[in-house]
């Protein structure tokens, strides 16, 4: 059996829609008044969006469901599904701990509750019967104030081990703030965390070269080879891996079809920039929403050749932040 590694998967977008729907039913959630049957929910939940902002709105709904009380339920299903149906041996799951705190609490209390969130997730990502290794990446968010992002970084540092990295997430707004983010990422690195950032996903404006001095990987980054291929030389020099999530670009309206990724893979190969194929939000993709499915779609669309498959799989393990024996661990 071939085993796989997924390095870019959001906790809020990782779960099969059936699991979310059953959870809503169990909790008699008011949103069910719009979706009396599963099929209606499924087509709403997995429909392609015109923009990333639109996509993120549904994501926020799931984040709110994943409260402290319910995290063990979601974590168990996430791990066993990834191992059983996708043959994942290693997974890095990313999330924003602040978005899972209780909204009714004061901001100070919410910041304090982030520690409980991370500890609860850590305790529930080790299901005894499923031999999968799951590490965590905490997400800073471009929409949040400095103080909250600072607190997220601190929780990540305090939980180094189960938490292996920091990500910068949220829609690609306010490119002029690059220096703040570079400072956050540099601080993360200096305390032993690895770094990645959602960058160059929807456009090139946020891709400031200073990011390359503080990043181990880039979430997506596809607009670098598409629009500024001359930057690839620097990525290769710094050994920065791109996390490419094919179906996600169709769901968020970034690409019309996957053949557009051909040039991404070709230019990266020529420049010596590594690519790890990942899923991003597999629960939001139309079925089959699995990592092996993403590989298959790349072959179907002539983005990669079947003979490339082994090296693509190996790259994910090599670029992992916490894979035992991996080059970056
Ligand atoms: Zn993502």
């Amino acid at each position: 059996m071939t085993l796989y590694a997924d390095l870019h998967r959001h906790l809020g977008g990782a779960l099969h829609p059936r699991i979310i729907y059953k959870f809503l039913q169990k909790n008699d959630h008011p949103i069910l008044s719009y979706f009396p049957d599963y099929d209606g929910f499924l087509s709403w939940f997995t429909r392609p969006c015109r923009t990333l902002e639109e996509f993120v709105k549904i994501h926020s709904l799931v984040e709110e469901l994943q409260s402290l009380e319910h995290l063990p339920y979601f974590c168990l299903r996430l791990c066993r599904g990834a191992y059983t149906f996708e043959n994942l041996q290693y997974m890095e799951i990313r999330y924003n701990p602040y978005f899972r705190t209780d909204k009714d609490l004061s901001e100070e209390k919410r910041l304090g509750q982030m520690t409980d969130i991370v500890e609860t997730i850590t305790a529930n990502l080790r299901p005894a019967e499923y031999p999968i290794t799951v590490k965590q990446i905490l997400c800073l968010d471009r929409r949040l104030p400095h103080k909250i992002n600072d607190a997220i970084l601190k929780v990540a540092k305090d939980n180094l081990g189960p938490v292996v990295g920091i990500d910068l997430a949220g829609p690609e707004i306010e490119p002029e703030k690059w220096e703040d983010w570079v400072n956050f990422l540099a601080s993360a690195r200096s305390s032993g965390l690895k770094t990645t950032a959602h960058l160059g996903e929807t456009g090139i404006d946020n891709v400031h070269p200073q990011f390359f001095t503080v990043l181990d990987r880039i979430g997506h980054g596809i607009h670098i080879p598409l629009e500024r291929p001359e930057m690839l030389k620097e990525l290769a020099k710094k050994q920065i891996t791109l996390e490419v999530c094919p179906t996600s670009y169709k769901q968020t309206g970034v690409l019309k079809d996957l053949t557009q990724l051909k040039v991404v893979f070709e230019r990266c190969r020529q420049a010596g920039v590594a690519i790890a194929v990942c899923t991003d939000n597999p629960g939001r993709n139309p079925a089959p929403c699995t990592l092996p499915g993403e590989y298959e779609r790349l072959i179907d669309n002539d983005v990669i050749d079947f003979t490339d498959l082994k090296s693509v799989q190996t790259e994910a393990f090599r670029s992992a932040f916490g894979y035992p024996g991996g080059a970056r661990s």
Side-chain angles (χ1 to χ4, degrees), residues 8-10 94 167 198 201 219-220 245 248 280-281:
H8 187 141
R9 185 174 296 210
H10 293 260
R94 60 183 73 193
D167 172 36
H198 283 72
E201 177 183 8
H220 311 296
C245 311
S248 194
D280 207 4
N281 293 289

Side-chain angles (χ1 to χ4, degrees), residues 63-289:
E63 285 174 329
E64 283 173 31
L65 302 177
Q66 293 174 334
S67 61
L68 198 53
E69 181 192 357
H70 300 302
L71 276 169
Y73 177 93
F74 289 116
C75 289
L76 169 67
R77 280 154 185 81
L78 174 76
C79 296
R80 72 183 186 194
Y83 180 77
T84 309
F85 301 120
E86 297 184 70
N87 300 343
L88 292 197
Q89 178 182 357
Y90 176 84
M91 174 164 66
E92 288 173 10
I93 196 82
R94 60 183 73 193
Y95 62 94
N96 184 312
Y98 186 74
F99 292 150
R100 286 161 177 82
T101 55
D102 184 348
K103 273 190 171 169
D104 295 331
L105 297 176
S106 66
E107 187 180 290
E108 280 316 306
K109 288 223 165 93
R110 288 183 74 180
L111 295 184
Q113 202 185 51
M114 291 200 296
T115 298
D116 304 331
I117 298 280
V118 175
E119 286 175 359
T120 301
I121 291 177
T122 300
N124 287 281
L125 288 179
R126 284 175 292 180
E129 304 130 83
Y130 306 96
I132 176 173
T133 302
V134 186
K135 296 289 183 180
Q136 300 165 57
I137 296 175
L138 299 197
C139 300
L140 309 175
D141 195 290
R142 291 186 177 92
R143 295 163 295 180
L144 289 175
H146 189 95
K147 186 186 168 192
I148 297 178
N149 281 314
D150 211 31
I152 295 171
L153 179 57
K154 186 176 180 310
V155 179
K157 289 178 181 178
D158 291 346
N159 287 275
L160 185 65
V163 175
V164 289
I166 274 287
D167 172 36
L168 171 60
E172 290 191 79
I173 51 170
E174 304 175 319
E176 68 282 1
K177 289 195 176 164
W178 63 267
E179 205 168 355
D180 290 353
W181 304 122
V182 167
N183 290 338
F184 269 117
L185 294 162
S187 168
R189 253 192 174 179
S190 67
S191 49
L193 290 158
K194 304 289 179 189
T195 54
T196 181
H198 283 72
L199 210 57
E201 177 183 8
T202 53
I204 197 72
D205 293 354
N206 281 67
V207 185
H208 192 287
Q210 279 301 315
F211 275 108
F212 305 158
T213 64
V214 291
L215 285 174
D216 295 297
R217 301 194 312 240
I218 293 178
H220 311 296
I222 57 168
H223 283 83
I224 299 172
L226 287 173
E227 291 186 45
R228 297 285 303 278
E230 72 280 6
M231 282 180 159
L232 290 175
K233 218 171 125 196
E234 195 58 22
L235 297 192
K237 206 169 116 194
K238 297 266 178 0
Q239 297 195 19
I240 298 171
T241 300
L242 298 190
E243 305 157 0
V244 172
C245 311
T247 305
S248 194
Y249 307 131
K250 284 175 77 179
Q251 293 300 96
T252 54
V254 171
L255 295 182
K256 289 252 175 306
D257 84 77
L258 295 186
T259 57
Q260 292 172 276
L261 286 176
K262 264 190 207 179
V263 62
V264 170
F265 277 73
E266 264 166 34
R267 287 180 179 169
C268 284
R269 192 180 297 128
Q270 279 163 11
V273 173
I275 289 179
V277 176
C278 312
T279 58
D280 207 4
N281 293 289
R284 297 279 306 277
N285 297 344
C289 45

Side-chain angles (χ1 to χ4, degrees), residues 265 269 299 303-314:
F265 277 73
R269 192 180 297 128
I299 296 169
V303 177
I304 60 169
D305 188 76
F306 195 89
T307 54
D308 299 327
L309 204 48
K310 189 71 207 154
S311 64
V312 172
Q313 284 164 227
T314 306

